[in-house]
Amino acid sequence: MTTSNDCTVRQWDYETGICQAVFKFADPVSCGLVSAEYNMLFTASWDKMVRCIDLEENKVVKSFIASKEAIKMLEQSKDLLFVAGCDPNIRSFSLKDGTMKLFSGHKGWVYTMKVNGDRLFSGGDDRSIIIWDMENTSILEQLYGHENGVTSIDFAQGDLYTGSFDHYIICWDLQEINERVDERKE
């Protein structure tokens, strides 16, 4: 699956490299996410819309406005779809009943999100990494170390890695962060 500024999403056969389906929209498509659990392709675009494409039927089965600004990033965890981008807020949508939760805390665009356990990690233009409680949308911890917007987050061997427009990668001790968060809860 590829998304494009030419307003299309293309589904490809991995073995042959042949395009199997093309979905054409009115606005550039900034990102897509394949959900094996739901057999769906979720796309997001500059028009603030999320579209749900049934991969068996190859058709859009649902679409909804998911942000106040252009969407740049999607993340899924179980039954939740997280949406972020040019809006400083992150929104989660229940894939079961459609309810929405708002995560407010960033001071600019949100460039990256990643789920780890029951926590959402996000990075943005404000140079911070925010760790969220996914259940109640509260901020558990805010990390600072980059000198420019945080553009990537990943986890490996018990550590948190973040990348930035400042051209640095920071390795954070995830166990230490979790201990600090847990101490605050007590």
Side-chain angles (χ1 to χ4, degrees), residues 38-49:
Y38 286 87
N39 199 28
M40 299 281 261
L41 166 62
F42 300 104
T43 66
S45 55
W46 294 11
D47 64 1
K48 309 167 199 158
M49 299 284 290

Side-chain angles (χ1 to χ4, degrees), residues 38 128 151:
Y38 286 87
S128 75
T151 59

Side-chain angles (χ1 to χ4, degrees), residues 77-142:
S77 176
K78 298 175 187 155
D79 295 324
L80 294 175
L81 181 67
F82 295 92
V83 176
C86 300
D87 184 339
N89 297 309
I90 299 168
R91 290 169 178 79
S92 72
F93 295 90
S94 168
L95 296 174
K96 287 185 174 181
D97 62 18
T99 56
M100 188 270 295
K101 291 183 179 179
L102 190 67
F103 295 73
S104 295
H106 279 289
K107 308 259 186 300
W109 291 13
V110 179
Y111 295 125
T112 185
M113 299 180 290
K114 193 72 99 170
V115 171
N116 186 286
D118 62 350
R119 296 176 178 163
L120 174 67
F121 290 68
S122 62
D125 203 33
D126 58 6
R127 304 181 319 229
S128 75
I129 298 102
I130 298 180
I131 304 168
W132 306 89
D133 181 308
M134 291 193 311
E135 180 64 31
N136 64 26
T137 74
S138 64
I139 295 174
L140 299 171
E141 182 70 77
Q142 200 156 5

Side-chain angles (χ1 to χ4, degrees), residues 44-68:
S45 55
W46 294 11
D47 64 1
K48 309 167 199 158
M49 299 284 290
V50 167
R51 290 175 178 84
C52 310
I53 300 169
D54 184 307
L55 292 175
E56 262 183 48
E57 298 180 26
N58 272 347
K59 70 177 189 178
V60 176
V61 293
K62 183 175 185 173
S63 61
F64 58 95
I65 295 176
S67 182
K68 293 188 182 227

